[in-house]
Amino acid sequence: MKAWWDSLSRRERHLIGSGMALTLALLIYALAWQPFRASYHRLQQSVAEQRADLAWMRQVAQEVQRLSGAGENAHATADGRSLLTRVDQTARAAGFGPALKRIAPQGNEQLSVQLDAVEFDRLIPWLATLERNQRIVIINLSADRTAAAGRVNVRLILGSRP
């Protein structure tokens, strides 16, 4: 190889050396610099997305704190009345007085409730209100359609949430 290199003219040696330097520079760019730059841009984009996620999480955390404070207030107002009283009063306020057939205690802070021919579209918001505002959980729910459209017979077992 040395004999071949020595046999080349000065101009050919310069041309081959320049070609090798250019090839080496292209290899360094393609194998090192370009992947580094692409990774850098991906990381910058990821950081921006994570900052946006963090800002959203902080907003949600404030909302959760606000709502948990409201939940504590609702719990404090509901504590003065028994489970039976709360269910009876909210059912009558929702317009279920005629449909309310039976409310019976079931032992440890549980009630059995029977509603006949109640409108399904009014039942679901009432149940949501019990859970959200009165801190009452639905342990068991059984609903059967009646002959009247949109009405159901419902049997519930409700309990107090701690």
Side-chain angles (χ1 to χ4, degrees), residues 93-156:
F96 297 143
L100 190 60
K101 297 302 177 194
R102 185 174 74 98
I103 299 179
Q106 294 287 313
N108 297 338
E109 289 295 318
Q110 292 184 0
L111 289 177
S112 173
V113 179
Q114 181 179 347
L115 298 163
D116 287 341
V118 67
E119 289 181 43
F120 184 78
D121 290 340
R122 289 178 46 203
L123 174 70
I124 299 304
W126 175 65
L127 294 174
T129 300
L130 286 178
E131 288 210 56
R132 184 178 48 247
N133 297 342
Q134 299 297 322
R135 301 188 55 83
I136 296 172
V137 294
I138 300 168
I139 297 169
N140 191 358
L141 178 124
S142 173
D144 299 314
R145 269 192 281 184
T146 63
R151 294 192 175 263
V152 292
N153 294 328
V154 180
R155 283 162 195 74
L156 296 161

Side-chain angles (χ1 to χ4, degrees), residues 46-127:
S46 175
V47 166
E49 290 170 0
Q50 289 177 0
R51 283 185 177 151
D53 287 347
L54 178 63
W56 176 80
M57 286 182 203
R58 285 181 176 157
Q59 286 176 337
V60 170
Q62 289 174 349
E63 182 72 11
V64 166
Q65 287 177 346
R66 184 182 67 77
L67 290 175
S68 70
E72 289 170 5
N73 292 340
H75 180 59
T77 60
D79 279 348
R81 298 177 293 159
S82 70
L83 176 63
L84 183 108
T85 304
R86 289 184 285 159
V87 171
D88 184 60
Q89 286 178 350
T90 58
R92 292 186 192 286
F96 297 143
L100 190 60
K101 297 302 177 194
R102 185 174 74 98
I103 299 179
Q106 294 287 313
N108 297 338
E109 289 295 318
Q110 292 184 0
L111 289 177
S112 173
V113 179
Q114 181 179 347
L115 298 163
D116 287 341
V118 67
E119 289 181 43
F120 184 78
D121 290 340
R122 289 178 46 203
L123 174 70
I124 299 304
W126 175 65
L127 294 174

Side-chain angles (χ1 to χ4, degrees), residues 22-38:
L22 181 61
T23 302
L24 181 63
L26 287 174
L27 281 173
I28 289 172
Y29 177 79
L31 298 176
W33 185 252
Q34 183 61 27
F36 172 75
R37 296 272 304 164

Side-chain angles (χ1 to χ4, degrees), residues 34-47:
Q34 183 61 27
F36 172 75
R37 296 272 304 164
S39 176
Y40 176 75
H41 288 296
R42 271 194 318 273
L43 288 174
Q44 277 185 324
Q45 184 177 6
S46 175
V47 166

